[in-house]
Amino acid sequence: MNFDVVVIGAGAAGLFCAAQAGQRGLRVLLIDHSDRVAEKIRISGGGRCNFTNRDLDVRAPQKHFVSENPNFCRSALSRYTPQQFIELMDRHGIAHHEKHKGQLFCDGPSQQIIDMLLAECHAGNVERWQPCGVKRLAFEAGNDTQAGCYRLETDRGTVDAAQVVVATGGLSIPQLGASDFGYRVAQQFGLRLVAPRPALVPLTFAGQAWAPYASLAGLALPVQIETGSKKTRMHFMEDLLFTHRGLSGPAVLQISSYWQEGTPLTIDFAPGVEVSEALSAAKARSRKRIANELAMLVPSRLADAWVGEDPALQRPINEATDRALTQLAERIARWQITPDGTEGYKKAEVTAGGVDTRDLSSQTLESKQPGLYFIGEVVDVTGWLGGYNFQWAWASAHACAMALRPASVL
């Protein structure tokens, strides 16, 4: 069996690449080891799929992405924009809405996007084998009269293809079938890897260090969160969620992609409020307990927890020392705490790191190994929370599909 291209991985990037290549007239085979199609799309956004982000700046898209080479993603993202994917959704009659900060979601179930991508594959006469594992991938060099080709030993037999696209994703959410297949293929052909790590993931804290805050589990509030040194400092204004084991919510998921082991987080629980001035003013006019006055600035559960740790604060605010109130204000506005680790791939929305972009073309996503392409999450390009990773899937798949050629012209 011969094809112009075999796409390995029927997730967002793989489906879109196969569809685009097929519609350009290429003979495409799409293979996935799972019996279910695009599970990450199905569960994304609480089942509504946050499929792109309208706020992506195509002139400087790299600011929304993490990579050892931040500029690598610019070419693909500027050539296939959120608006282009929105137009595809509109052609298929899929209603959608903006929820928050440019994040676009389906009005209905995310299965609509999966169905759309399958319909696009059908329009391109893409052959799809699922479930079907790839047991072996080898390159057979050509000669003066014949180009080289890839030979794949699969669960359904041997396949030859002029080009192979690896769209197998990363290690996140292993219960959906995540694997290291793409990394192993890259290493097989001598490509470098940036060490994979969980990203967009909740952060955890050691048992005793977290004990005073475990009772706050379930509490959510808007914060400003920061990490990094002066040169690499990143901050986000988003909602934070206390959990039994640590911190989660959009603020923490965002910062987790930048957090380095052993470095602290700095959290402002009352962004935009001069806490020290507010407490000083309260001291001058009020006889309420400190916890009551603090609850005017932050949620009462948080106020009670903060005050409960210090006997000097368990009194009416007019009896508190200026030093005690200053220290409390500093803690509310600049709380520093160092995570012990993350919740790992099981809870990570994506995998950071992956195939080193130094070994890939930013124009085509072809690797240094001719005819071998890597797209989507398997590449060292990780987007912010909010639809950016799906946009990278669409854009990298499109850039790759436009570069693929019929075997006859290679």
Side-chain angles (χ1 to χ4, degrees):
M1 288 176 281
N2 291 280
F3 292 88
D4 294 318
V5 58
V6 174
V7 179
I8 307 174
L15 281 166
F16 194 54
C17 182
Q20 296 290 306
Q23 290 179 34
R24 293 184 58 239
L26 277 69
R27 293 168 297 142
V28 181
L29 172 63
L30 176 61
I31 298 178
D32 196 292
H33 69 99
S34 174
D35 59 348
R36 302 196 68 172
V37 185
E39 281 289 271
K40 268 198 170 181
I41 292 179
R42 186 181 62 80
I43 68 169
S44 165
R48 302 287 183 177
C49 190
N50 179 195
F51 57 88
T52 192
N53 195 299
R54 200 191 299 274
D55 288 350
L56 187 144
D57 183 352
V58 295
R59 295 165 300 178
Q62 70 278 8
K63 68 183 180 182
H64 299 291
F65 292 83
V66 183
S67 173
E68 292 286 305
N69 177 12
N71 288 320
F72 176 85
C73 63
R74 292 181 66 175
S75 176
L77 288 165
S78 63
R79 286 183 291 135
Y80 191 82
T81 66
Q83 186 56 41
Q84 287 171 279
F85 193 79
I86 292 168
E87 290 168 1
L88 177 63
M89 298 271 289
D90 291 343
R91 289 200 296 274
H92 283 262
I94 301 175
H96 50 83
H97 61 278
E98 182 174 332
K99 189 173 181 181
H100 176 64
K101 294 186 175 180
Q103 300 169 13
L104 297 184
F105 291 77
C106 298
D107 289 355
S110 52
Q111 183 64 41
Q112 295 174 101
I113 292 183
I114 300 173
D115 293 342
M116 175 187 77
L117 294 172
L118 290 173
E120 290 286 307
C121 283
H122 181 73
N125 296 311
V126 173
E127 188 163 340
R128 181 165 57 93
W129 293 356
Q130 272 189 277
C132 180
V134 177
K135 295 180 282 191
R136 182 173 177 268
L137 171 62
F139 180 72
E140 299 188 354
N143 51 43
D144 292 340
T145 60
Q146 189 174 12
C149 77
Y150 290 91
R151 175 153 290 179
L152 295 85
E153 303 290 343
T154 81
D155 293 341
R156 301 194 188 185
T158 301
V159 177
D160 289 341
Q163 299 147 117
V164 170
V165 178
V166 179
T168 50
L171 302 172
S172 55
I173 321 182
Q175 58 270 39
L176 297 185
S179 80
D180 65 349
F181 179 89
Y183 307 142
R184 287 187 277 116
V185 170
Q187 290 176 314
Q188 174 187 341
F189 289 98
L191 308 182
R192 291 168 285 188
L193 291 180
V194 175
R197 67 185 191 281
L200 300 183
V201 63
L203 299 173
T204 60
F205 299 82
Q208 286 306 308
W210 192 247
Y213 315 109
S215 63
L216 294 173
L219 175 65
L221 72 161
V223 302
Q224 176 169 293
I225 190 167
E226 302 179 2
T227 194
S229 63
K230 286 184 179 179
K231 288 185 178 180
T232 62
R233 200 149 193 86
M234 282 298 299
H235 70 273
F236 291 95
M237 285 277 291
E238 290 282 3
D239 286 352
L240 173 144
L241 173 68
F242 282 87
T243 72
H244 290 291
R245 289 167 46 84
L247 296 173
S248 187
V252 172
L253 299 186
Q254 292 280 40
I255 210 72
S256 71
S257 296
Y258 295 90
W259 175 72
Q260 299 290 322
E261 188 173 350
T263 59
L265 305 175
T266 302
I267 302 173
D268 181 353
F269 288 103
V273 176
E274 290 294 335
V275 179
S276 184
E277 292 180 11
L279 292 178
S280 294
K283 179 180 178 179
R285 60 169 169 72
S286 174
R287 296 183 179 182
K288 292 181 181 179
R289 298 188 69 81
I290 294 172
N292 292 16
E293 288 294 343
L294 186 58
M296 303 296 291
L297 308 176
V298 298
S300 57
R301 285 176 65 193
L302 184 63
D304 290 340
W306 253 232
V307 170
E309 288 184 50
D310 187 349
L313 297 175
Q314 296 167 27
R315 62 184 65 191
I317 194 167
N318 64 316
E319 297 177 10
T321 66
D322 290 340
R323 180 180 179 185
L325 293 181
T326 298
Q327 290 175 340
L328 176 61
E330 177 68 14
R331 196 165 181 216
I332 292 293
R334 293 193 59 78
W335 187 46
Q336 286 207 335
I337 189 166
T338 301
D340 183 59
T342 78
E343 289 283 6
Y345 290 115
K346 186 176 181 180
K347 296 288 183 70
E349 295 200 9
V350 293
T351 304
V355 180
D356 196 321
T357 58
R358 290 177 297 175
D359 291 339
L360 303 177
S361 163
S362 63
Q363 296 288 317
T364 66
L365 282 298
E366 186 176 16
S367 71
K368 293 194 300 185
Q369 168 66 30
L372 182 63
Y373 299 74
F374 293 83
I375 60 175
E377 188 180 346
V378 73
V379 179
D380 175 34
V381 174
T382 303
W384 286 8
L385 189 72
Y388 293 103
N389 285 293
F390 275 123
Q391 187 57 37
W392 168 245
W394 317 135
S396 61
H398 185 267
C400 175
M402 294 302 105
L404 296 170
R405 294 290 180 265
S408 58
V409 303
L410 290 173

